[in-house]
Amino acid sequence: MSFATEVMNAALVIAFVTVAIAQAMSMLRLILGPSTGDRILALDTMVVNAIGLIVLLGIAQGVRVYFEVSMIIAMLGFVSTVAYARFVLRGDIIE
Amino acid sequence: MSAEIIGTYAVAVALLIGSIFALVGAIGLLRFNDSMIRLHAPTKVGTVGIGSLLLASMIHAYTFGDGSMHEVLIMAFLFVTAPISANFIAKVNIHKRACDTPPAPPRDETWSTLNVPEADRDIDTSKAG
């Protein structure tokens, strides 16, 4: 195990901890959020952070399957954000 | 210094940049004090943060495996959809009156009606055209 691999593994651990802290902070905004827009924004940020965590998991385990997982979560996150915003705006999702 | 060592260091640097941007976006989301201002911070997470993490994943695949370009798809999808969802959230903020709304327009009798404005009343329109 060379020095470069050790540096990469340390960076991986730091990235895991940092993105997890970011995820927890956006969850705090989801709980606090005074208005509905803040809560939708916090959920959107949490989806993006979850994609980052899954990508990090794929790097750590060296498995390529996690790509499909993050792709599907990216699509689902966008659709759910738009659906929630439309529900607040129009009182209905599909008119 | 072989290509594998350079690739490994590049993965480490991309991971650190991405995670720092994710943390900065979350701090901004937590600390800004207005709904519309709060909309600004998490865009960093969506573009540079996730983009850098996916770049790290691509470099890792090319260094240790047979490489993959699939991550570009996620990057492109996030870059395309981030402004759309931000626009929708801004609309929700305006709808919920969670931000400063523009002042009411002045009372006006001529806008979008057939009334001729005061300044144009003495122009004879019957001969024109």
Side-chain angles (χ1 to χ4, degrees), chain B residues 11-29:
Chain B
V11 170
V13 169
L15 281 176
L16 288 179
I17 291 174
S19 57
I20 285 170
F21 266 87
L23 188 67
V24 164
I27 290 172
L29 181 68

Side-chain angles (χ1 to χ4, degrees), chain B residues 8-115:
Chain B
T8 315
Y9 280 124
V11 170
V13 169
L15 281 176
L16 288 179
I17 291 174
S19 57
I20 285 170
F21 266 87
L23 188 67
V24 164
I27 290 172
L29 181 68
L30 206 54
R31 281 192 59 87
F32 285 158
N33 53 6
D34 184 73
S35 292
M36 280 299 197
I37 302 170
R38 248 173 245 141
L39 211 53
H40 158 80
T43 52
K44 269 96 226 146
V45 189
T47 53
V48 185
I50 297 302
S52 189
L53 292 182
L54 290 168
L55 189 70
S57 175
M58 279 168 65
I59 298 171
H60 186 271
Y62 272 107
T63 309
F64 297 102
D66 42 1
S68 76
M69 289 292 282
H70 292 161
E71 279 83 353
V72 179
L73 260 178
I74 307 177
M75 234 188 266
F77 186 80
L78 280 177
F79 286 7
V80 167
T81 57
I84 302 172
S85 52
N87 186 21
F88 266 102
I89 296 167
K91 274 184 185 173
V92 168
N93 281 339
I94 295 170
H95 181 74
K96 287 279 178 185
R97 300 283 191 274
C99 57
D100 290 341
T101 47
R107 192 88 188 107
D108 191 349
E109 299 286 328
T110 55
W111 168 249
S112 190
T113 64
L114 291 176
N115 290 340

Side-chain angles (χ1 to χ4, degrees), chain A residues 2-5 7-8 10-12 14-16 18-19 21-23 25-26 28-29 32-38 40-42 44-45 48-49 51-53 55-56 58-60 62 64 66-68 70-71 74-76 78 81-82 84-86 88-90, chain B residues 4-5 7-9 11-13 15-16 18-20 22-23 25-27 29-32 34-36 38-40 42 45-46 50 53-54 56-58 60-61 64 66-68 70-71 73-74 77-78 81-82 84-86 88-89 91-93 95-96 98:
Chain A
S2 66
F3 179 67
T5 320
V7 170
M8 191 191 71
L12 204 55
I14 293 171
F16 262 119
T18 317
V19 178
I21 291 172
Q23 181 81 301
M25 285 164 91
S26 27
L28 203 61
R29 176 51 73 193
L32 292 174
S35 75
T36 318
D38 292 322
I40 303 174
L41 184 63
D44 198 46
T45 314
V48 172
N49 275 326
I51 297 167
L53 278 174
V55 168
L56 287 175
I59 297 174
R64 312 298 317 158
Y66 286 113
F67 153 73
E68 274 91 5
S70 42
M71 187 80 214
M75 289 176 166
L76 210 64
F78 170 66
T81 304
V82 170
Y84 197 179
R86 270 197 83 76
V88 174
L89 282 172
R90 311 286 300 210
Chain B
E4 190 171 330
I5 296 176
T8 315
Y9 280 124
V11 170
V13 169
L15 281 176
L16 288 179
S19 57
I20 285 170
L23 188 67
I27 290 172
L29 181 68
L30 206 54
R31 281 192 59 87
F32 285 158
D34 184 73
S35 292
M36 280 299 197
R38 248 173 245 141
L39 211 53
H40 158 80
V45 189
I50 297 302
L53 292 182
L54 290 168
S57 175
M58 279 168 65
H60 186 271
F64 297 102
D66 42 1
S68 76
H70 292 161
E71 279 83 353
L73 260 178
I74 307 177
F77 186 80
L78 280 177
T81 57
I84 302 172
S85 52
F88 266 102
I89 296 167
K91 274 184 185 173
V92 168
N93 281 339
H95 181 74
K96 287 279 178 185

